[in-house]
Amino acid sequence: MTKRLTGRDTEASAPAQGREAILAVAKKQFAEYGYHGATLSKIATRAKVCKANIFHHFGSKEGLYLAVLKDYCEQLSPLRGSRPISAPTCREQLRQFAQVHLENMLNEQGAVQLFLRELLAKDSLRKEILAKGVLEDNFSSLVQMVREGQEAGEIRPDIDPAMLAVMLLGADVFFFMARDVFQHFRDVHFAEAPGDYSKALSEILLKGCLAKRD
Amino acid sequence: MTKRLTGRDTEASAPAQGREAILAVAKKQFAEYGYHGATLSKIATRAKVCKANIFHHFGSKEGLYLAVLKDYCEQLSPLRGSRPISAPTCREQLRQFAQVHLENMLNEQGAVQLFLRELLAKDSLRKEILAKGVLEDNFSSLVQMVREGQEAGEIRPDIDPAMLAVMLLGADVFFFMARDVFQHFRDVHFAEAPGDYSKALSEILLKGCLAKRD
Amino acid sequence: MTKRLTGRDTEASAPAQGREAILAVAKKQFAEYGYHGATLSKIATRAKVCKANIFHHFGSKEGLYLAVLKDYCEQLSPLRGSRPISAPTCREQLRQFAQVHLENMLNEQGAVQLFLRELLAKDSLRKEILAKGVLEDNFSSLVQMVREGQEAGEIRPDIDPAMLAVMLLGADVFFFMARDVFQHFRDVHFAEAPGDYSKALSEILLKGCLAKRD
Amino acid sequence: MTKRLTGRDTEASAPAQGREAILAVAKKQFAEYGYHGATLSKIATRAKVCKANIFHHFGSKEGLYLAVLKDYCEQLSPLRGSRPISAPTCREQLRQFAQVHLENMLNEQGAVQLFLRELLAKDSLRKEILAKGVLEDNFSSLVQMVREGQEAGEIRPDIDPAMLAVMLLGADVFFFMARDVFQHFRDVHFAEAPGDYSKALSEILLKGCLAKRD
DNA sequence: GATGAATGAGTGTTCATTCAT
DNA sequence: AATGAATGAACACTCATTCAT
């Protein structure tokens, strides 16, 4: 009775309380400053809870970080299905995938930032488990997609499907990381237009850049 | 006469002294653990100098970090010319570039790790100045290369040169970041063969992945 | 029940705990060695608390110092009333004031030492706020006292009341500061007799030193 | 030949060099911040010399401080004679002394600040030796002056000459210390007029504040 | 006479963590 | 579930000092 209902807090940006408030703030902090750069004091302050309360809920900084990681995972995984890839031809599927994937990354900046940082770390403890879990989803979807395209005779059979997948994902990751810097390059016109970027990307992936020689 | 010969230090990884010793250790530590993860105590211990000496030479942790960044920059920039790209056709130049660029990244893992981490940070102070300086070198080389290919009629004129550059660099960056994870993907066969990766990469960039329809 | 009785701590100099223990030690240290001469390590050790605990309670060295200053203020202010000045004639009131004021200073050596040091500093931030608060109390009491004496025709009307106040307070301050040195002056006989000092002081203030010429 | 003549540097405020430059800066710093508040790094920087050079000339911080103290002493002692006290009557001599003494203090703020700080310290090592040396000069002059006045029947014989001396010096010391604070007291009109202060001071000392009763 | 490099002990401060309540 | 007090270890940084040149 004395306890307030906290059920609907997840919807919208209503100020969560207790455990959830901590988690929400921690996600931001870890994403922005990395594991070592983030501090429990700051997280506690911003979440308007006592520092000791963090330990009550998460046991340790490491524990909190893992909870953040897990939360980000759950937040990321279902997204792939948010706008289902469905098109008759493989080339069209790839175009859609390129578009949707980049959109998702930009919608989940915190999660992506954290994962990429994890990739750069040397621990390899969490790196394998987590990054693999997130990457593999997208990766095997793509590979499967390409394989079907090859079986349908649409994609060249001498193409390594994994290679294609890496190129698409890599282009998106690089865009995500360097978009701030791109804005200061005069040769770049797509810095603020992810849609155009995705289109041009899939175009080159499909047709290559060589002029047709006849 | 009274001065000790330190000549051979430059050659191998012989223990440098004073300022250089600190810088060398700091480069490793910052690359491995990031700015916040690295500690001056550890750096001092490993460099076999007094902690206070770091401040004598670099003023502050920030100062040391900037010196490291600057040093990595100078170490990275001239690399582009280390194995000069020279081939009659543009497609061959791109193939060479893909190869050399990835090799360079793998040879300078510390520098690259640091730069990528910097890209993920929010400072934008160092990000712009440094990442721009390093990225732009490779970037504009590539763009120029593609432009010439277009003028020679070798590359499709409707291709955005910057787009091609981003795809190539992005694929390399992504390979660099995720290679550890790749090793655990069964679909991936190039994880430990950067040479093959570069070849397949440029192949797709040039010809695309679509089957020829005639 | 489970809570320990701490009641008697206030009475004597029993070892206070936590915040109060720190404050008590800090007051001594700052008074004895000044702001820069005092160190938090020493304060923590003597207060038998962890150094970090000081920051938990006071935020910073500056914060602790200000708390000390504030505490000394409250300790000093009510003293004026401790032995209320009450006498029919103004001359008697002045005699009493001279006596009581010097006694108070000698009873609160720590506070006085700190205040005088603060007067010699250049901050002017704390100087104004604090010294003013403490000085003004005594100062305006004296001025008011003299004014009433003038209205009653007891004190010469051409006397500046503020001047008289400064002379009385100044003589006490100087005695406080130099009493150690006075002991080695053969001409001085009042060094260890503050009572005599106060008496002689008010005598001269009232009657002057000139021989009566008639 | 290669060495510049440094002889006349002492005159005027020409930028001294080496030892003298250090001493000049150290005097300011010690006076302003006290022994613990002043740092050799700052002194070295401001004197535009190497920190190690300070040790070359003065051996240690303590050594430098003592040199400063000695220098201030020499600077202060002869001042009493700068404007010789000479008047037929004792009362006039006292008036002159009050005036000259306060002037001297205000002209030598650094020295005075340092000495007063020393008086507040607990070392009593230097306190006795130095403060005594400086104080005693003024003190015994005054006492002697008063004694002669008493012998000449000008000063009341029941006055303790030391007491009169302490009151005069104390009033000046207090003015020196609190003059910044005085400016914010509405009752005080002499804060920026040391001349008036000295006059009023000697007036009260001589004649007292009581109204003439007949 | 003067400097730059180097140092050990110490500074104030912050860290993640624990505990009693 | 939540808090304030407390802690030890570590943090970046400054101190006065030394030494070879």
Side-chain angles (χ1 to χ4, degrees):
Chain A
M1 295 292 177
T2 51
K3 201 176 176 181
R4 280 193 215 139
L5 294 174
T6 59
R8 282 220 316 256
D9 269 15
T10 31
E11 217 162 2
S13 61
Q17 67 206 61
R19 212 193 110 100
E20 290 181 53
I22 296 168
L23 198 61
V25 174
K27 282 168 72 177
K28 274 195 187 178
Q29 294 291 314
F30 279 129
E32 193 156 340
Y33 302 106
Y35 183 81
H36 286 109
T39 81
L40 297 187
S41 302
K42 201 174 174 186
I43 292 173
T45 306
R46 305 237 167 161
K48 282 168 191 162
V49 296
C50 176
K51 217 186 341 181
N53 210 352
I54 297 180
F55 289 88
H56 184 60
H57 285 298
F58 302 96
S60 69
K61 188 184 188 181
E62 184 78 15
L64 175 59
Y65 184 69
L66 277 139
V68 165
L69 235 41
K70 202 177 142 196
D71 204 80
Y72 267 140
C73 271
E74 291 173 4
Q75 187 174 334
L76 226 56
S77 293
L79 275 180
R80 186 175 33 107
S82 64
R83 222 216 281 176
I85 310 289
S86 66
T89 61
C90 177
R91 82 187 69 180
E92 201 48 43
Q93 283 173 7
L94 281 172
R95 282 202 187 95
Q96 270 189 36
F97 191 102
Q99 201 110 15
V100 172
H101 182 255
L102 187 53
E103 275 172 24
N104 285 345
M105 288 183 76
L106 294 172
N107 284 337
E108 299 293 339
Q109 301 194 15
V112 176
Q113 224 159 332
L114 206 88
F115 283 133
L116 293 181
R117 238 192 272 265
E118 206 65 35
L119 274 184
L120 284 173
K122 251 204 163 174
D123 295 50
S124 78
L125 233 126
R126 310 184 284 244
K127 180 148 76 162
E128 280 180 40
I129 304 171
L130 291 157
K132 218 177 137 176
V134 176
L135 246 185
E136 205 157 32
D137 272 358
N138 287 314
F139 193 77
S140 41
S141 301
L142 263 175
V143 168
Q144 184 56 23
M145 200 181 286
V146 175
R147 284 230 176 87
E148 288 168 8
Q150 286 179 319
E151 285 165 16
E154 203 182 346
I155 303 288
R156 282 162 52 192
D158 59 328
I159 291 281
D160 178 355
M163 192 66 221
L164 203 64
V166 169
M167 285 182 70
L168 199 158
L169 297 175
D172 280 359
V173 164
F174 192 50
F175 179 86
F176 180 88
M177 292 177 79
R179 79 209 119 112
D180 286 358
V181 180
F182 282 161
Q183 298 191 349
H184 301 91
F185 284 14
R186 56 204 153 86
D187 292 324
V188 175
H189 310 104
F190 45 72
E192 299 186 77
D196 295 353
Y197 181 82
S198 296
K199 245 179 240 170
L201 167 63
S202 41
E203 203 58 26
I204 293 184
L205 276 184
L206 292 171
K207 300 188 191 161
C209 65
L210 287 187
K212 282 173 193 163
R213 57 231 138 100
D214 49 316
Chain B
M1 296 290 179
T2 49
K3 204 175 179 180
R4 281 192 214 139
L5 293 174
T6 58
R8 261 175 8 126
D9 274 14
T10 35
E11 204 151 15
S13 61
Q17 71 204 53
R19 214 192 108 101
E20 290 181 53
I22 296 167
L23 199 59
V25 175
K27 282 168 71 176
K28 275 195 187 177
Q29 294 290 315
F30 279 130
E32 192 157 343
Y33 302 105
Y35 182 82
H36 287 108
T39 82
L40 296 187
S41 301
K42 201 174 174 185
I43 292 173
T45 305
R46 306 237 165 158
K48 281 169 192 161
V49 295
C50 174
K51 220 190 332 182
N53 209 355
I54 297 180
F55 293 89
H56 175 56
H57 286 296
F58 301 97
S60 68
K61 188 184 188 183
E62 181 80 16
L64 175 59
Y65 184 70
L66 280 155
V68 165
L69 236 41
K70 206 178 139 194
D71 204 80
Y72 267 142
C73 268
E74 290 174 5
Q75 187 173 333
L76 230 56
S77 291
L79 276 179
R80 185 174 33 107
S82 63
R83 221 214 279 174
I85 309 290
S86 64
T89 60
C90 178
R91 82 187 70 179
E92 201 48 43
Q93 282 174 8
L94 281 172
R95 283 202 186 94
Q96 271 189 34
F97 191 103
Q99 199 110 13
V100 171
H101 182 255
L102 187 53
E103 276 172 24
N104 284 345
M105 288 184 77
L106 294 172
N107 284 336
E108 299 292 340
Q109 301 196 12
V112 176
Q113 223 157 337
L114 208 86
F115 281 133
L116 293 181
R117 236 193 279 263
E118 205 64 38
L119 274 185
L120 285 173
K122 245 200 165 178
D123 288 49
S124 79
L125 232 132
R126 309 191 282 241
K127 183 149 73 163
E128 277 182 43
I129 301 172
L130 291 157
K132 225 178 130 174
V134 176
L135 246 185
E136 205 158 31
D137 270 359
N138 288 315
F139 193 78
S140 41
S141 301
L142 263 175
V143 169
Q144 185 55 25
M145 200 180 286
V146 175
R147 285 228 177 89
E148 288 170 6
Q150 287 179 316
E151 283 167 15
E154 203 181 346
I155 303 288
R156 283 161 52 193
D158 59 327
I159 292 280
D160 178 355
M163 192 67 218
L164 204 65
V166 169
M167 286 182 69
L168 200 158
L169 297 175
D172 280 359
V173 164
F174 192 50
F175 179 86
F176 180 89
M177 290 178 79
R179 79 210 119 113
D180 286 358
V181 181
F182 283 159
Q183 300 191 348
H184 302 90
F185 283 13
R186 57 203 151 87
D187 292 323
V188 175
H189 311 103
F190 46 72
E192 298 185 79
D196 295 354
Y197 181 82
S198 296
K199 247 179 239 168
L201 167 63
S202 42
E203 203 58 25
I204 295 184
L205 275 184
L206 291 171
K207 302 188 191 159
C209 64
L210 288 187
K212 284 174 195 162
R213 57 226 137 110
D214 48 320
Chain C
M1 297 287 179
T2 49
K3 204 175 180 180
R4 280 189 216 140
L5 294 175
T6 58
R8 260 176 7 124
D9 274 13
T10 34
E11 204 150 16
S13 63
Q17 68 204 54
R19 216 194 105 103
E20 290 181 54
I22 296 167
L23 199 59
V25 175
K27 281 167 71 176
K28 275 196 187 176
Q29 293 290 314
F30 279 129
E32 190 155 346
Y33 302 105
Y35 183 82
H36 288 109
T39 82
L40 296 187
S41 301
K42 201 174 174 186
I43 292 173
T45 305
R46 306 237 166 157
K48 282 171 192 161
V49 294
C50 174
K51 216 187 340 177
N53 209 357
I54 297 181
F55 291 88
H56 176 56
H57 286 297
F58 302 96
S60 67
K61 188 183 188 182
E62 181 80 17
L64 175 58
Y65 184 70
L66 279 149
V68 165
L69 236 42
K70 206 177 139 194
D71 205 79
Y72 267 140
C73 269
E74 291 173 4
Q75 187 173 332
L76 228 56
S77 290
L79 276 180
R80 186 175 30 110
S82 64
R83 221 213 280 174
I85 310 290
S86 64
T89 60
C90 178
R91 83 187 70 179
E92 200 49 44
Q93 282 172 9
L94 280 173
R95 283 203 187 92
Q96 271 189 36
F97 191 103
Q99 200 111 13
V100 171
H101 182 256
L102 187 53
E103 275 172 23
N104 285 345
M105 287 184 77
L106 293 172
N107 283 336
E108 299 293 340
Q109 301 195 12
V112 176
Q113 220 156 339
L114 208 87
F115 282 133
L116 293 181
R117 235 193 279 264
E118 204 65 36
L119 274 184
L120 285 173
K122 245 201 165 178
D123 288 49
S124 78
L125 234 132
R126 308 191 284 240
K127 183 150 70 164
E128 277 182 44
I129 302 172
L130 291 156
K132 225 178 128 173
V134 176
L135 247 183
E136 205 158 32
D137 270 0
N138 288 315
F139 193 77
S140 40
S141 301
L142 264 175
V143 169
Q144 185 55 24
M145 199 180 288
V146 175
R147 284 230 177 88
E148 287 170 7
Q150 288 180 316
E151 284 167 16
E154 200 180 348
I155 303 286
R156 283 162 51 195
D158 59 329
I159 291 280
D160 178 355
M163 193 65 220
L164 203 65
V166 169
M167 285 182 68
L168 199 158
L169 297 175
D172 281 359
V173 164
F174 192 50
F175 179 86
F176 179 90
M177 291 177 79
R179 76 211 123 114
D180 286 358
V181 180
F182 283 160
Q183 301 192 347
H184 302 91
F185 284 13
R186 56 203 151 90
D187 291 324
V188 176
H189 310 104
F190 46 71
E192 297 185 78
D196 296 352
Y197 181 83
S198 296
K199 247 178 241 167
L201 167 64
S202 41
E203 204 58 23
I204 295 185
L205 276 185
L206 292 170
K207 302 186 192 159
C209 62
L210 286 187
K212 282 174 197 162
R213 58 230 135 106
D214 47 318
Chain D
M1 294 290 179
T2 49
K3 203 175 178 182
R4 280 192 216 142
L5 295 174
T6 60
R8 283 219 317 258
D9 270 15
T10 30
E11 217 162 3
S13 61
Q17 67 206 60
R19 214 193 107 100
E20 291 181 50
I22 296 168
L23 199 59
V25 175
K27 282 168 71 176
K28 275 195 187 178
Q29 294 290 315
F30 279 129
E32 192 156 343
Y33 302 105
Y35 183 81
H36 286 111
T39 80
L40 297 186
S41 302
K42 201 174 175 186
I43 292 173
T45 305
R46 305 238 168 159
K48 282 170 191 162
V49 296
C50 176
K51 217 187 335 182
N53 210 353
I54 296 180
F55 290 87
H56 185 60
H57 286 298
F58 301 95
S60 69
K61 188 184 187 182
E62 184 78 14
L64 175 58
Y65 184 71
L66 279 148
V68 165
L69 236 39
K70 203 179 142 197
D71 204 80
Y72 267 139
C73 272
E74 290 174 5
Q75 189 174 331
L76 227 55
S77 292
L79 274 180
R80 188 176 29 107
S82 64
R83 224 215 279 175
I85 310 291
S86 64
T89 60
C90 178
R91 79 187 71 177
E92 201 50 45
Q93 282 174 9
L94 281 171
R95 284 202 187 95
Q96 269 190 36
F97 190 101
Q99 200 112 15
V100 171
H101 181 255
L102 187 53
E103 276 171 25
N104 286 345
M105 287 184 78
L106 294 172
N107 285 335
E108 299 293 340
Q109 303 195 13
V112 177
Q113 224 158 334
L114 208 88
F115 283 133
L116 293 180
R117 238 193 274 265
E118 205 66 34
L119 273 186
L120 285 173
K122 251 202 163 175
D123 294 51
S124 77
L125 231 127
R126 311 185 280 244
K127 180 149 74 162
E128 280 180 40
I129 304 171
L130 292 157
K132 219 178 137 176
V134 177
L135 247 185
E136 205 157 33
D137 271 359
N138 288 315
F139 193 78
S140 41
S141 302
L142 263 174
V143 169
Q144 185 56 24
M145 200 180 286
V146 176
R147 284 229 177 86
E148 289 170 7
Q150 288 179 317
E151 285 165 16
E154 201 181 350
I155 303 287
R156 285 163 49 196
D158 59 329
I159 291 280
D160 178 354
M163 191 66 218
L164 202 65
V166 168
M167 285 183 69
L168 199 158
L169 297 176
D172 280 359
V173 163
F174 192 50
F175 180 86
F176 180 89
M177 290 177 81
R179 77 210 120 113
D180 288 357
V181 180
F182 282 160
Q183 299 194 347
H184 302 90
F185 284 14
R186 58 205 150 86
D187 291 323
V188 175
H189 309 104
F190 45 71
E192 299 185 77
D196 295 353
Y197 181 83
S198 296
K199 245 178 245 171
L201 167 63
S202 40
E203 202 59 25
I204 294 183
L205 275 183
L206 292 171
K207 301 187 192 161
C209 63
L210 288 187
K212 282 173 194 163
R213 56 234 139 102
D214 47 315

